Structures are given as C-alpha cells and as structure tokens.
Amino acid sequence: MASSLTKDPASTADTGKTFFGHPRGLATLFMTEMWERFSYYGMRALLPLYLIAPNGLHMNPATATAIYSVYLSLVYLLAMPGGWFGDRVWGPRKTVAVATAVIMLGHLTLALPSQGTFFVGLGLVALGSGLLKANISTMVGHLYDGPDDPRRDGGFTVFYMGINLGAFAAPLTIGTVGENVNWHFGFALAALGMALGLVQFLIGTRHLNERSSVVPKPLSAAERSSSLRKAMMWMAVAAVFYLGTVVTGVYTLNWVLMPITLAGLIIPLVVLTRIKRDKELSETEQRKMSGYIWFFVAAAVFWMIYDQGGSTLSIFADSSAHNAVFGWNFPVSWYQSVNPVLIMALAPVFAAFWLALNRKGKEPSTVVKFASGLVLIGASFFVFLAPLAIATDGAKAGALWLVAIYFVQTVGELTLSPVGLSVTTKMAPAKYASQMMGVWFLAVTAGDCITGMLSLPPFSLDLNKSGIVAIEAIVAVLAGVAVWMNRSKVKELMGDVH
C-alpha cells in the first residue's frame, strides 16, 4: 500500500502551488538529480587530478585514466541492475532514497586520507549512482498522466536542467576546494551536497505520485531466495579469489580493474545478443534491433572519446596547458564546467534549429545526425592535435584550445545524445520496453571500457600522445562515414521509426 504521505500530482491544485507550471514533485526530483550530478561531476573533475597528484595517490597517467574510465563505466553499467532493483525489490522511491544515502556515504569514505578506503568510497559512489539513475527518471514520468500529458516533455526538460546546473556548479566548488585547499575536503563537500539532496528528497516525498512507492513486479518468495543465494555465491567466489591473490602476493590493482573492464565489454554484447535472438520478438522487432545495433556501436565509439574530456584532456591541462584567461589563473577542474554551460546555452538553439528544418521538410534523419555526431567527436580530437604539438617542446598550450575541443564535443553531443535516447525508446521491442534505456547506458559503459582497456597492461598506452589521439580521431570519423554510407540500409531496418 502506498504511503499516506504521497499525493497524486493533481492534488497540487488544492494549494495552487506548482514548479514552473509542473507538479510540485518535480522540484523534489529536480533538486535530487541536481545534487547527484553535483556529486558525479565533482568526482569527474577531481578524480584524475587526485590520482596523478604528488600529494594525492601519485599514479601514472595511464593508470589514472584506467581507474577513471572504470569508475564511469560502473556508474552506467549499474544503471540496469539499479532499474531492476526498483522494479522488483524496493520500488523507485525507496531505491532512490537508499541510493542517495549510499552516494553520501561513499563521498564521506573518500574524504578519509587512506588509499584503501578511497577505492571503497569510489565503489560506493558508483553503486549509489547506478541505483539512482534509472529510478529517478521513472518517478518524473509518474508525475504526469501518461505519455500523452502535454506537460510531460516540458517536465523532462526542466528536470534535465537540474543535471546541467549540478554539473556546472560542481567543478567550480568541489574542484576549487579539492585542488586549492585539500583533496579530501573536496570529497567531503560532495558528501555535504548529497546530504542536502537526501534531506530535501525525504521532506519532498509527499509531493510525489503514489506509484513511485509501488514495486511494479515484486519478486516472489522463491525468486527472492534464488536471487539472494546467487548473489551470496558470487560474492563468496570473488572473496575467495581475491583473498587468494593477496595471500600469494600476486595481487595488484589490475586484478580489480581488468575484470570490470572485460565485464563492461562482454555484458553489452551478451545483452544485445540475448534480445536479438529472442524467439518471441516479431520479425519487425527483430529488424529494428538489427538497426539499433548500428546506433549502439556508433554511440560506444562516441562515448569512448567524449568521456576522455575528464581524463585525457584534464591530465594534459594539468601538465601542459597555460590555465589562464587574460592573466587570471584558474584550477584545471574548471574545464569540466565548460560542457554543461555550453549545453544550457546551445540546447535551445539546437531544438529551434531542428524544428525550423522540420517545418521546411529538411530536418536530417536520425542516421545522419548520428553520423554527424561521430564526425564531430572525431574532429574534436583532430583539434586536440594542435595543443599537443604546441606542448612537445615544453611550451604551454593556451586554455582556449581546450575550450575549443569541449565546444566541438558539445555540439557533437547535442547532435547524437538526445537523438539516441529518443530512438532507443522508439525502437525498443515491447517485451523490453522498460529495459532498453539501460541498454542505451551500456553503450557508455562499452566506450569507457575501451578507454580503460587501452590504459591497462599489456597496452598501458598514454592517451595524451599525438599518434594515439590521431588514431582515435580517424576511427570516429571513419565510423561516422560508415554510418552515413549505410544510411539507406539502417533506415530500412528502422521501419516506421523516423
């Protein structure tokens, strides 16, 4: 039974109060997501810098990039089981409350000056973010009267503004404190933000729809017992294995990083194969899944380069860039605020641009937009070759070179990412409608795990080398050209999806 504290969104009429014309529950979810993104982007800004800093963990750039990539991949990999947990065990509301507390605990653990507790804290933050990610979007949908509610799209637009506000503020605050005062104070500041997010979520739950407390498809007693038994078995296997590596003296950090990286590459492949081979899908759904695989692979290549904005580019900026504008120096972490502020500025422009082209019958197809996004992300690394060349003789590259890279990447993101979210929901087989958003997130996991794999032994590549950057740029552009050349084939597979 739903809590007596919950209200249907229509009940906001009795107070006459709304949130920008939307149900008041949107304000609660807006603030929760804002603080979670504050936490996530604070980690994105600080993590690689802390890992390589002499007064941090003082690792080499390849290892730092691998850890950073594995962290990002885990956040998105865990979004799928997080959605399952909300659907089958606790319901979205309770899952989000617990997830917020776990993220806060993770940052408090990161704030402890110990390498051992640091990795525990990193795991807790990734776990909490994965639990929260799928479920909070579900609760936004619950605020509206079905998919045809005219306020629904506007509500998600307001909600996503919370993402970018948190992403913009985090590097300016957490980054500044972490770099200029104390790394662990920066992590503690992220914990404070999550604490504020948790408190306001618990206070504001009375404005959420009662469906958010319902477990849509609860586990039966037998399923619960089986799931618990399997979880305990795998935990025991992992514990015995890693205890063995420690006792025998062969344990290194790579014993943790490599299995996660391999899992991040194998799991997306297994999930897509399982869906594609499902005999219950109609012939039309099978064809759409074949078309969707094109978009999935393209997205993985895109995120492989895009997410290096927080690792490869940050590490380059830390060692080889003149981080100043008009004589004013700023922390390296502030570069991570460039993308969200550009998103907020350019997203309305892109929306209006696509609409204007649509009215003239000239809007590019989804396939062409994807191809353009890949070419743009490749172009951003071609731009990266210029500051890399400047820095080869010991000179410092100008900050505006990095801003230019982030600008091109943001334009690519706006071309590909929103379209990817939309096409995922449109091409999803009915049987997997609720799981396909998790499948989309697996493309991010796969892309980040490719970066992690390149940074780990036996490759151990320094991704700040011109040759590697050029190869990645060429791969992305060639992938974009391949998608464009096969656009007719992919459109045919898409069927009635436009």
Side-chain angles (χ1 to χ4, degrees), residues 378 382 469-479:
F382 279 124
V469 170
I471 290 172
E472 290 185 82
I474 291 169
V475 167
V477 171
L478 289 178

Side-chain angles (χ1 to χ4, degrees), residues 263-297:
L265 294 172
I266 294 170
I267 290 174
L269 179 63
V270 170
V271 170
L272 286 172
T273 302
R274 179 173 62 86
I275 296 175
K276 185 71 179 66
R277 291 184 175 179
D278 191 332
K279 301 296 184 182
E280 295 182 13
L281 300 188
S282 67
E283 183 178 347
T284 300
E285 288 176 323
Q286 288 279 3
R287 288 172 62 83
K288 286 182 179 179
M289 279 305 302
S290 296
Y292 184 74
I293 289 172
W294 280 84
F295 295 117
F296 184 93
V297 173

